[in-house]
Amino acid sequence: MRWLVGWSSTAAGAVAAGSAGATGSEGETLHPVGSQLLWGDPDPLWAVGDWRPDEVRVVKADDRTRIAVLGICGATDEQLRVALFAARGGALRHLTAWPGSYTAIVQVGRRITVCGDLAGARPVFHTPWAGGTAYATAALPLADLIEANLDFGHLAALLAAPDVPAALHDSTPYDGVKRIPPGHALILRAGAREIAGYEPVASLAVAAPPADPDSAVDAVRDALVEAVRTRLSAPRHVPGADIDPGPVPGMGPAERRAARGMPVPGIGADLSGGPASGALALLAAGLPGMPGTVLGHGTGAGERLLAVTFNDLAVGGREAELERAGALAANPRLHHVVVAGGEETLPYADLDGPLTDEPGPCLVSAARHRARLAAGSADHFTGYGARQVLDAHPARLADLLMDRRRRHLVRPVAALTKADGSVLVPARVYAAARRLSRTPYRSGVESLAERLLDPRSDDGLDAPGGALDASLAALTWGRPGPAARWLTGEALAEVSVRLQASTHRSELVGPGQRPGDFRARAALARHAADLRVLEQAAEVRFQRLHAPFLDNQVVRAARALPEALRVRPGARAAILRTVLEGAGVRELPPGWGAPTQATEAAAERTGLRVAADSLVALFDTPLLAEAGLVEARVVRKALRGAAAGEPLPLDGLADLVALELWLRRLLSRRGTCWTGTPARQRAVPAGIAPQRGALGAGAGGGRRV
């Protein structure tokens, strides 16, 4: 896990002079454990973790004017210097417009600016501390710093309404630690904080001018190619080259690497057979240069890119996908590796793992991902985020109605009609889209708050059964999450109160609240947060996962795609096909772009059935029940029912299991992110005390099972 941390104090005297740290309550000088000081007092900044040398750059104009960029950034040092001078006047957006995935921090005198990204994959957190403000790109270090307790309201919202930004707002699992929203920057002036957006906001009053589809797709292609090229031009790394113990009798270099659990040197990519991973693998292999492994290491094929395909032997149904992956891997610049996984790689099979910064549903399948990534390269491309960035959220149908573009609803509605087989589909979809287009955001949030409190509103807590049900459920400003049906009445009431309180915040009535665009951005932010958790949970030492679809410039280019183009069935595959054609890749296997999510659901159900006994035992005395979020017997009954084949929302059960695992790992951790031990405590020092009042443990079980 890698992060940066710093603070801005109200006065230079608040910091221990010349120590590049701060004096704690016991008189000790605080430093992050395992840190690298980037600049010192009175507003110090550290990089913590196993950062590579080329991932940390600091450019100075003078002692009080400097910029630090951490991550993969395509800007040259001269470009950083020019941007630093421009940032003196308060300009922010240009700091986020370079290719790559990075965090930029600018210091001009006592003013510090920390830029988050557009997707939310590289978030920024902050908390009041020592009369000023501490900030970091991870929440747990700040929670340790202030010895924060858990925010049970946030945990309840994470289960009851994870897709509704109004429920989560700027909170984190740690009480007192806040998150800045995607597309914003944290600005600190001598300890005082301000959060400012750096993206222009569209107006509801005037529709955006229609974009040219061809030029919009070309912009996506250029941004994606530049994102891949930036990573290919970065220095290559040989994992663990400085700690290789040398020859071992009977073991070659590859066997020694595998025994140490280290990736192959060089660059590789996922090759699942889907359009996103396939497009990235072909782009990386086709760009000029030598994209693959480092000569003399690994396979020895220096010009070939390592393509990794996961073959699930425990669950069938992926034959066509594997066949497409094999056809793509016939490219002479690809070296294909197939990783076979049995029952030991099913979801829920292996629930041991490291503590992540925040909880996420991917914790139940982290071992599955780790098995695939362990066969990958030191720099590994993944297609995560393509669906959320390029696809059309169903709520965008309401945006088309708001712009009086009804004819563009014909294709998506026809596809839903074909999938469902009912002649009533067009009327139902049109009515739902029309209702959403005429519902203000405030009314939508208030309706959701009332639905959580009404035990008779079972329709809001049902799991969508098919494509039509999922689309109709998405044609709202917000709906309960899949785990809401198992929460206690008090937990749902807490989330309802949070939603009602959010309607009084001024930002809800501002411009830019188009339902489809709003829901799409919320879905992207949640996916990016889940990917961040996955990176930490399935981390392979010395490996870097790259998700170019979540880069700022790719997200910006994708947001300029016309909605009429997005809502067409198969739009994502068509866009990526055009991107590949523009990059010189024209021959793709038959069926390329077919949906691949059904097999994931089958694997999750199989894994739950195999691990049912251990999961039921996990909820014998769950911490979630101590926190007043669930009743143990209700969850145990749901787990047994899902294992027996009852049509229950599996993603809701994954949310519950993952949060329980995360709480157990958090409370069992030893040590802290800061020096000063034993004087320094850590986050949640008192553990979980039974909740009363807003979250009472005995306040009624889940709604239904």
Side-chain angles (χ1 to χ4, degrees), residues 276 383-391 527 549-550 572 576:
Y384 291 114
R387 186 183 306 274
Q388 289 72 24
V389 169
L390 297 177
D391 280 10
H527 179 80
F549 286 103
L550 298 181
R572 173 164 45 102
L576 292 177

Side-chain angles (χ1 to χ4, degrees), residues 224-225 227-233 266-271 276-277 279-281 283-285 287 291 305-308 372-373 376-384 543-549 551:
L224 198 56
V225 168
V228 174
R229 182 181 286 116
T230 297
R231 290 163 170 86
L232 292 179
S233 61
I267 295 180
D270 282 340
L271 188 62
S277 63
L280 288 179
L283 276 179
L287 291 177
L305 181 135
L306 179 67
V308 179
R372 180 187 84 252
L373 296 174
S377 297
D379 289 276
H380 199 74
F381 284 98
T382 66
Y384 291 114
Q543 186 178 67
R544 296 291 188 271
L545 293 187
H546 300 284
F549 286 103
D551 285 8

Side-chain angles (χ1 to χ4, degrees), residues 424-446:
L424 300 178
V425 169
R428 295 178 64 188
V429 172
Y430 181 82
R434 186 170 180 266
R435 182 168 55 252
L436 176 58
S437 67
R438 298 187 175 190
T439 303
Y441 180 50
R442 188 190 299 273
S443 299
V445 173
E446 291 174 345

